[in-house]
Structure formats: C-alpha cells, structure tokens
Amino acid sequence: MAKKIEDAINAQINAELWSAYLYLSMGTCFRAKGLDGIANWFEVQFKEEQDHAMILYKYMQSRGWRVILKPIAKVETEWKSAVEAFEDTLAHEKKVTAMIHNINKLAVEEKDYATVNRMVWFIDEQVEEEEEAGKNLEAVKMIGDNSIGMFMFDKELGAREYHKASALK
Ligand code: MG
C-alpha cells in the first residue's frame, strides 16, 4: 500500500527538479535582459528547489524506499517580461501545492503519519512560495513600463540570499 506514496514522492522529486530547471532558465533569460536582480531571485529559487528534491530524496532513503530518477521535461527558455515570468512562477507553484496536498491526502488515507508529518514542512513552504510569487507579480504589474520602478525592484531582488532549507539536515 505504501507503493502509491512511494510513487507520488518519486514524482514529486522530479517536479522539484523540474522546478529548479525552470527557475534556472528564467535566471539566464533575465541575465540576458540585463535584469540581474530578477535573475538572482530565480537563481536562488533554483537552489531552493534542489533542496526540496533533496529533502524528499533523503526522506525516501530513511524509509527504505527506492528513489527512481525519471527524465526531466524541457522548460521554456524565453519570457518576454517579468510579468510573464512571475505569472508562470505563481501558476507553477499552485500546481506544486496541489501535488503536495495530494501526497498528504494519500498519506492520511494510508495512515502513514511519518509522511503526513514530513509534508507539513512542504505545505508551509508552499504558502510562502505562492505568497512571494504573488507579491512579485503584483509589484511588476504595478511597475509596468516605469524604468525607474523596474531599476529599483531589480535592485531589491538582487539582495535575495540563498539559505539552506531548514528541513535539510
Ligand atoms: Mg519546491
């Protein structure tokens, strides 16, 4: 019965690594546009997504489950604007949230309380992910074509630093 949960977590590892790839692609796209701060924000996001995959990778191993790495699907390479990139980010994070909630639901049904507990960290993390993507989207929508506004916002996102995920020992 645990096989369903095992499969779902393997799929989640793939989704987290795909997310990392997506955000790295956004990073390089915004480097090319000269928006290095926005690029930095996505590059930090790239590292965080790898942490998410590793938390699940380690969790699977501590349960004695086999991690199966599947191919990572291709990602877009071009976003016309920061609005487009943050729209895609928010939409993607909502999908990830639904996947996490599904694992949690399966784990509750299977009375796998260790997985339920592991998912708590991810459920909280997804609230933050959606909040941050949403805030950035609102900001770039408000800025529009205002170049001084974009200059300042880019500078602000340039200050984002990577911190190893608390759940990753
Ligand atoms: Mg993630």
Short mmCIF file of all heavy atoms in Angstrom, two decimals, residues 12 15-16 19 23 45 48-50 52-53 92-93 96 100 121-122 125-126 129, ligand 1:
data_model
loop_
_atom_site.label_atom_id
_atom_site.label_comp_id
_atom_site.label_asym_id
_atom_site.label_seq_id
_atom_site.Cartn_x
_atom_site.Cartn_y
_atom_site.Cartn_z
N GLN A 12 7.22 13.66 -7.11
CA GLN A 12 7.46 14.98 -6.50
C GLN A 12 8.93 15.38 -6.63
O GLN A 12 9.25 16.55 -6.89
CB GLN A 12 7.03 14.97 -5.03
CG GLN A 12 6.94 16.36 -4.42
CD GLN A 12 5.89 17.22 -5.08
OE1 GLN A 12 4.82 16.70 -5.44
NE2 GLN A 12 6.17 18.50 -5.28
N ALA A 15 9.29 16.67 -9.99
CA ALA A 15 8.65 18.00 -10.11
C ALA A 15 9.52 19.09 -9.48
O ALA A 15 9.63 20.20 -10.02
CB ALA A 15 7.27 17.99 -9.45
N GLU A 16 10.17 18.77 -8.37
CA GLU A 16 11.04 19.77 -7.71
C GLU A 16 12.27 20.05 -8.58
O GLU A 16 12.71 21.19 -8.70
CB GLU A 16 11.46 19.30 -6.31
CG GLU A 16 10.31 19.06 -5.33
CD GLU A 16 9.54 20.32 -4.93
OE1 GLU A 16 10.02 21.44 -5.17
OE2 GLU A 16 8.43 20.16 -4.37
N SER A 19 11.22 22.10 -11.42
CA SER A 19 11.07 23.49 -10.94
C SER A 19 12.42 24.19 -10.92
O SER A 19 12.54 25.34 -11.34
CB SER A 19 10.49 23.54 -9.52
OG SER A 19 9.28 22.84 -9.43
N TYR A 23 13.39 27.54 -13.05
CA TYR A 23 13.85 28.81 -12.47
C TYR A 23 15.26 29.17 -12.94
O TYR A 23 15.58 30.35 -13.09
CB TYR A 23 13.73 28.79 -10.95
CG TYR A 23 12.29 28.66 -10.50
CD1 TYR A 23 11.90 27.76 -9.51
CD2 TYR A 23 11.30 29.43 -11.10
CE1 TYR A 23 10.57 27.63 -9.13
CE2 TYR A 23 9.97 29.31 -10.74
CZ TYR A 23 9.61 28.41 -9.75
OH TYR A 23 8.29 28.29 -9.39
N GLN A 45 16.01 30.71 -6.22
CA GLN A 45 14.88 29.80 -6.30
C GLN A 45 15.33 28.42 -6.84
O GLN A 45 14.90 27.38 -6.34
CB GLN A 45 13.82 30.42 -7.23
CG GLN A 45 12.43 29.85 -7.08
CD GLN A 45 11.77 30.18 -5.75
OE1 GLN A 45 12.22 31.04 -5.00
NE2 GLN A 45 10.71 29.48 -5.44
N GLU A 48 16.85 26.57 -4.01
CA GLU A 48 15.83 26.11 -3.05
C GLU A 48 15.08 24.89 -3.57
O GLU A 48 14.77 23.98 -2.80
CB GLU A 48 14.82 27.24 -2.77
CG GLU A 48 15.38 28.30 -1.85
CD GLU A 48 14.28 29.16 -1.23
OE1 GLU A 48 13.09 28.97 -1.57
OE2 GLU A 48 14.64 30.02 -0.40
N GLU A 49 14.81 24.88 -4.87
CA GLU A 49 14.09 23.73 -5.45
C GLU A 49 14.93 22.46 -5.37
O GLU A 49 14.41 21.37 -5.15
CB GLU A 49 13.65 24.01 -6.89
CG GLU A 49 12.70 25.17 -7.06
CD GLU A 49 11.44 25.09 -6.23
OE1 GLU A 49 11.06 23.98 -5.80
OE2 GLU A 49 10.83 26.14 -5.99
N GLN A 50 16.24 22.62 -5.54
CA GLN A 50 17.12 21.46 -5.40
C GLN A 50 17.08 20.95 -3.96
O GLN A 50 17.11 19.74 -3.72
CB GLN A 50 18.55 21.83 -5.79
CG GLN A 50 18.70 22.10 -7.28
CD GLN A 50 20.12 22.54 -7.60
OE1 GLN A 50 21.01 21.72 -7.76
NE2 GLN A 50 20.32 23.84 -7.66
N HIS A 52 14.49 21.14 -2.00
CA HIS A 52 13.22 20.43 -1.84
C HIS A 52 13.35 18.99 -2.35
O HIS A 52 12.88 18.06 -1.71
CB HIS A 52 12.09 21.13 -2.62
CG HIS A 52 11.82 22.54 -2.14
ND1 HIS A 52 11.04 23.43 -2.84
CD2 HIS A 52 12.25 23.20 -1.03
CE1 HIS A 52 11.01 24.57 -2.18
NE2 HIS A 52 11.72 24.46 -1.09
N ALA A 53 13.99 18.85 -3.50
CA ALA A 53 14.20 17.49 -4.04
C ALA A 53 15.05 16.66 -3.08
O ALA A 53 14.74 15.49 -2.83
CB ALA A 53 14.87 17.58 -5.41
N HIS A 92 2.84 27.78 -11.64
CA HIS A 92 3.58 26.54 -11.39
C HIS A 92 3.55 26.18 -9.91
O HIS A 92 3.34 25.02 -9.55
CB HIS A 92 5.02 26.66 -11.90
CG HIS A 92 5.82 25.45 -11.59
ND1 HIS A 92 5.49 24.21 -12.08
CD2 HIS A 92 6.90 25.26 -10.79
CE1 HIS A 92 6.34 23.32 -11.61
NE2 HIS A 92 7.20 23.92 -10.82
N GLU A 93 3.77 27.15 -9.04
CA GLU A 93 3.77 26.87 -7.60
C GLU A 93 2.40 26.37 -7.13
O GLU A 93 2.32 25.54 -6.22
CB GLU A 93 4.24 28.07 -6.79
CG GLU A 93 5.74 28.36 -6.94
CD GLU A 93 6.66 27.18 -6.56
OE1 GLU A 93 6.28 26.38 -5.68
OE2 GLU A 93 7.73 27.04 -7.18
N VAL A 96 2.39 22.77 -7.87
CA VAL A 96 3.22 22.05 -6.89
C VAL A 96 2.45 21.90 -5.58
O VAL A 96 2.45 20.82 -4.97
CB VAL A 96 4.57 22.77 -6.67
CG1 VAL A 96 5.35 22.14 -5.52
CG2 VAL A 96 5.40 22.74 -7.96
N ILE A 100 1.61 18.42 -3.54
CA ILE A 100 1.96 18.21 -2.12
C ILE A 100 0.71 17.82 -1.33
O ILE A 100 0.73 16.89 -0.52
CB ILE A 100 2.59 19.49 -1.52
CG1 ILE A 100 3.94 19.83 -2.19
CG2 ILE A 100 2.71 19.43 0.00
CD1 ILE A 100 5.10 18.95 -1.82
N TRP A 121 6.04 20.41 6.50
CA TRP A 121 7.06 21.40 6.12
C TRP A 121 6.79 21.93 4.70
O TRP A 121 6.85 23.13 4.44
CB TRP A 121 8.47 20.79 6.21
CG TRP A 121 9.54 21.81 5.97
CD1 TRP A 121 10.14 22.61 6.90
CD2 TRP A 121 10.12 22.18 4.70
NE1 TRP A 121 11.06 23.45 6.30
CE2 TRP A 121 11.07 23.20 4.96
CE3 TRP A 121 9.94 21.74 3.38
CZ2 TRP A 121 11.83 23.80 3.93
CZ3 TRP A 121 10.68 22.33 2.37
CH2 TRP A 121 11.61 23.35 2.66
N PHE A 122 6.46 21.00 3.80
CA PHE A 122 6.21 21.39 2.41
C PHE A 122 4.93 22.22 2.27
O PHE A 122 4.88 23.15 1.46
CB PHE A 122 6.14 20.14 1.51
CG PHE A 122 7.51 19.60 1.18
CD1 PHE A 122 8.11 18.62 1.96
CD2 PHE A 122 8.21 20.08 0.08
CE1 PHE A 122 9.37 18.13 1.66
CE2 PHE A 122 9.48 19.60 -0.23
CZ PHE A 122 10.07 18.62 0.56
N GLU A 125 5.86 25.60 3.33
CA GLU A 125 6.75 26.16 2.33
C GLU A 125 5.96 26.65 1.11
O GLU A 125 6.25 27.73 0.57
CB GLU A 125 7.78 25.09 1.91
CG GLU A 125 8.74 25.49 0.80
CD GLU A 125 9.75 26.57 1.18
OE1 GLU A 125 9.91 26.86 2.38
OE2 GLU A 125 10.35 27.14 0.25
N GLN A 126 4.95 25.89 0.71
CA GLN A 126 4.15 26.28 -0.46
C GLN A 126 3.34 27.55 -0.21
O GLN A 126 3.12 28.33 -1.13
CB GLN A 126 3.24 25.14 -0.92
CG GLN A 126 3.97 24.03 -1.65
CD GLN A 126 4.88 24.53 -2.77
OE1 GLN A 126 6.08 24.36 -2.72
NE2 GLN A 126 4.32 25.19 -3.77
N GLU A 129 5.88 30.14 -0.90
CA GLU A 129 6.20 30.20 -2.34
C GLU A 129 5.12 30.97 -3.10
O GLU A 129 5.43 31.83 -3.93
CB GLU A 129 6.34 28.79 -2.94
CG GLU A 129 7.46 27.95 -2.38
CD GLU A 129 8.84 28.31 -2.89
OE1 GLU A 129 9.14 29.51 -3.04
OE2 GLU A 129 9.63 27.38 -3.13
MG MG B 1 9.61 23.40 -4.42
#
